[in-house]
């Protein structure tokens, strides 16, 4: 019998302790990295577990019953997350996205949302708090989440056809339950709900038009994401990527579209509106059109490691500072030093990287760091 190999364990070993610089850096909300990019968006992963096994994210062959998920004491507590979030907000973060794994599996997540909702941006405004979910628990939880202070929700949905959806989540989860979750989110006031569809050529690209027809005119924003070479376990191949330009042209042929202005600097989605005014769609072209030049996103892992890029090979350990008696000023200085040293722009470099840094590199998994 062949021995089982778990390449992901490596990702947790490649860490750098976050260091408090000798000269303190006070938070001014004006932090810039080496390319002058500000820090505006923090994505927080609250669990590395999930009840789905999407093949492009947590393939069953690796994420089986023996997979070494993080033990509970390795996870940041809600108080620790809120403390770090406060530091990031002082450095200029305006938007927080909770993700995972499946964030709604984290027990009492609404308590964390309540704590984050109390934070204020440098300008004194409430944060834009949102969450990305597979929707499986949304029908049950939407109202509670809204009451806790969540503003909006993004639901991942890779097709409307029940057989295609069940095959893609690989746990036989019915699409009807997710659709009910989306309705519950609308009713709870978590709209406009964004729907994320990862498009894999030959697997679900025939679902593009049915999805567009279904969500058109319903107040939801459907976004098509190019299948990415994130992580090291999904067996990514370029020929399975359907370029966003083709998604747009397929929809435009039946439902005419006009291009819209971006909603905010650093926005990942290119926006297109239906010519008849009945709503909009978005395309996220992470593979065919890099948007690193204004990438203002930082990612905090479930166990308190800071990643500066979705394709990072190394994380900065903030937990040892948090649990080692560092003051908020120490934390702020450490985060500033890390962000000021950031030069990541993987998507821009993808094609020109040598194999050991490009597709062959061992990188963090999407389920570990979220989207
Ligand atoms: N479990 C939640 C969900 O599925 O919405 C949150 C975490 S999931 C990792 C966040 C997003 O990443 C989802 O929209 C998912 O479709 C997307 N994603 C995961 N692997 C991907 C890949 N290889 N390429 C593109 N998007 C991916
Ligand atoms: Fe789970 Fe989301 Fe990854 Fe699918 S994409 S396996 S739902 S974490
Ligand atoms: Fe940002 Fe990295 Fe993605 Fe570029 S590749 S947009 S730097 S997360």
């Amino acid at each position: 019998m062949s021995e089982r190999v778990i390449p992901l364990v490596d990702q947790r070993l490649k860490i750098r302790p976050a260091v408090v610089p000798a000269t303190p850096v006070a938070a001014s909300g004006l932090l810039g990295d080496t390319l002058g990019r500000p820090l505006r968006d923090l994505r927080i992963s609250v669990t590395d577990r999930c009840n789905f096994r999407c093949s492009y994210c947590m393939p069953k062959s690796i994420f089986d019953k023996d997979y070494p998920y993080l033990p509970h004491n390795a996870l940041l507590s809600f108080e620790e997350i809120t403390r770090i979030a406060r530091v990031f907000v002082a450095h200029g973060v305006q938007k927080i996205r909770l993700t995972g794994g499946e964030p709604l599996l984290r027990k009492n997540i609404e308590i964390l949302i309540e704590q984050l909702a109390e934070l204020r941006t440098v300008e004194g405004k409430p944060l834009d708090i949102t969450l990305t979910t597979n929707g499986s628990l949304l029908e049950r939880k939407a109202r509670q989440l809204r009451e806790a202070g969540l503003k909006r929700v993004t639901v991942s949905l890779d097709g409307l056809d029940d057989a295609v959806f069940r095959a893609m989540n690989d746990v036989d989860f019915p699409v009807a339950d997710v659709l009910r979750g989306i309705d519950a989110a609308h009713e709870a006031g978590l709209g406009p709900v964004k729907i994320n569809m990862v498009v894999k050529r030959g697997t679900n690209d025939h679902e593009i038009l049915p999805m567009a027809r279904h969500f058109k005119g319903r107040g939801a924003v459907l976004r098509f994401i190019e299948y990415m070479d994130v992580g090291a376990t999904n067996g990514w191949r370029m020929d399975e990527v359907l370029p966003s330009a083709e998604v747009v042209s397929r929809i435009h042929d039946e439902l005419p579209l006009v291009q819209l202005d971006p909603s905010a600097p650093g926005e990942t989605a290119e926006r297109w509106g239906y010519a008849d005014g009945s709503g909009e769609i978005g395309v996220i072209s992470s593979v065919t059109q890099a948007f690193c030049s204004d990438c203002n996103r930082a990612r905090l892992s479930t166990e308190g490691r800071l990643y500066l890029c979705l394709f990072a090979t190394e994380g900065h350990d903030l937990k040892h500072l948090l649990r080692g008696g560092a003051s908020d000023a120490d934390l702020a200085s450490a985060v500033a030093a890390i962000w000021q040293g950031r030069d990541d722009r993987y998507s821009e470099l993808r094609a020109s990287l040598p194999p050991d840094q490009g597709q062959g590199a061992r990188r963090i998994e999407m389920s570990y760091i979220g989207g």
Side-chain angles (χ1 to χ4, degrees), residues 33-38 265-268 285-297 299 308-311 339 342-350 353:
D33 70 7
T34 60
L35 302 171
R37 297 170 295 188
E267 177 56 54
T268 48
S285 319
S286 341
V287 178
T288 59
Q289 238 184 321
F291 37 76
C292 303
S293 60
D294 51 8
C295 176
N296 54 20
R297 296 177 288 285
R299 294 175 162 85
L308 303 177
C309 174
L310 193 48
F311 299 90
W339 190 262
R342 176 184 190 243
D343 62 359
D344 301 66
R345 50 189 191 105
Y346 176 82
S347 287
E348 282 181 0
L349 303 175
R350 179 186 276 108
L353 288 172

Side-chain angles (χ1 to χ4, degrees), residues 189-223:
L190 289 169
V193 177
K194 288 183 181 158
I195 313 290
N196 276 1
M197 173 177 174
V198 175
V199 180
K200 254 182 112 169
R201 193 198 287 272
T203 302
N204 67 338
D205 59 315
H206 59 291
E207 286 291 295
I208 293 172
L209 271 163
M211 287 279 283
R213 289 183 204 119
H214 179 84
F215 287 107
K216 183 173 179 290
R218 289 185 185 227
V221 180
L222 175 59
R223 306 187 318 164

Side-chain angles (χ1 to χ4, degrees), residues 4-235:
R4 189 167 167 277
V5 179
I6 304 172
L8 301 193
V9 172
D10 268 12
Q11 83 198 13
R12 302 191 191 149
L13 298 178
K14 282 189 176 180
I15 51 164
R16 240 190 231 205
V19 176
V20 180
T23 316
V25 188
S28 62
L30 298 171
L31 209 55
D33 70 7
T34 60
L35 302 171
R37 297 170 295 188
L39 174 54
R40 294 284 176 264
D41 183 329
L42 178 63
R43 302 186 172 197
I44 304 174
S45 173
V46 293
T47 177
D48 61 341
R49 290 163 198 255
C50 186
N51 53 344
F52 282 14
R53 286 291 173 275
C54 308
S55 56
Y56 53 72
C57 178
M58 294 181 82
K60 265 184 184 166
S61 53
I62 306 281
F63 294 87
D64 61 9
K65 65 179 179 21
D66 297 324
Y67 181 77
Y69 293 100
L70 296 169
H72 191 73
N73 64 1
L75 312 189
L76 293 188
S77 67
F78 292 163
E79 287 67 30
E80 288 171 329
I81 293 176
T82 306
R83 195 174 155 213
I84 295 199
R86 186 177 294 114
V87 166
F88 275 86
V89 169
H91 276 310
V93 161
Q94 297 169 345
K95 177 172 167 186
I96 290 186
R97 177 178 295 278
L98 299 178
T99 176
E102 173 45 44
L104 297 186
L105 288 182
R106 178 85 187 245
K107 221 170 145 200
N108 300 325
I109 181 88
E110 50 293 337
I111 294 179
L112 174 64
I113 294 169
E114 274 170 19
Q115 292 177 4
L116 295 174
E118 285 177 11
L119 301 179
R120 292 291 172 269
T121 66
V122 175
E123 296 83 23
K125 296 191 186 135
L127 287 175
D128 182 12
I129 305 175
T130 174
L131 176 145
T132 304
T133 172
N134 62 26
S136 58
L137 300 169
L138 200 51
E139 186 182 16
R140 223 179 300 161
K141 296 209 165 191
R143 187 157 298 280
Q144 257 179 304
L145 294 169
R146 177 68 187 136
E147 283 165 6
L150 193 70
K151 299 271 172 61
R152 289 177 293 108
V153 77
T154 298
V155 181
S156 303
L157 179 65
D158 295 332
L160 276 182
D161 179 271
D162 195 47
V164 171
F165 184 69
R166 284 177 193 251
M168 285 191 81
N169 64 53
D170 210 12
V171 291
D172 212 26
F173 196 89
V175 74
D177 289 22
V178 177
L179 294 174
R180 278 203 306 277
I182 293 170
D183 289 344
H186 273 297
E187 280 158 26
L190 289 169
V193 177
K194 288 183 181 158
I195 313 290
N196 276 1
M197 173 177 174
V198 175
V199 180
K200 254 182 112 169
R201 193 198 287 272
T203 302
N204 67 338
D205 59 315
H206 59 291
E207 286 291 295
I208 293 172
L209 271 163
M211 287 279 283
R213 289 183 204 119
H214 179 84
F215 287 107
K216 183 173 179 290
R218 289 185 185 227
V221 180
L222 175 59
R223 306 187 318 164
F224 299 91
I225 305 179
E226 286 178 351
Y227 169 43
M228 282 186 278
D229 49 336
V230 63
T233 57
N234 65 10

Side-chain angles (χ1 to χ4, degrees), residues 248-263:
V248 170
S249 93
R250 283 193 199 181
I251 297 175
H252 179 71
D253 283 348
E254 179 181 317
L255 308 166
L257 294 167
V258 285
Q259 192 159 6
L260 305 176
D261 290 335
S263 55

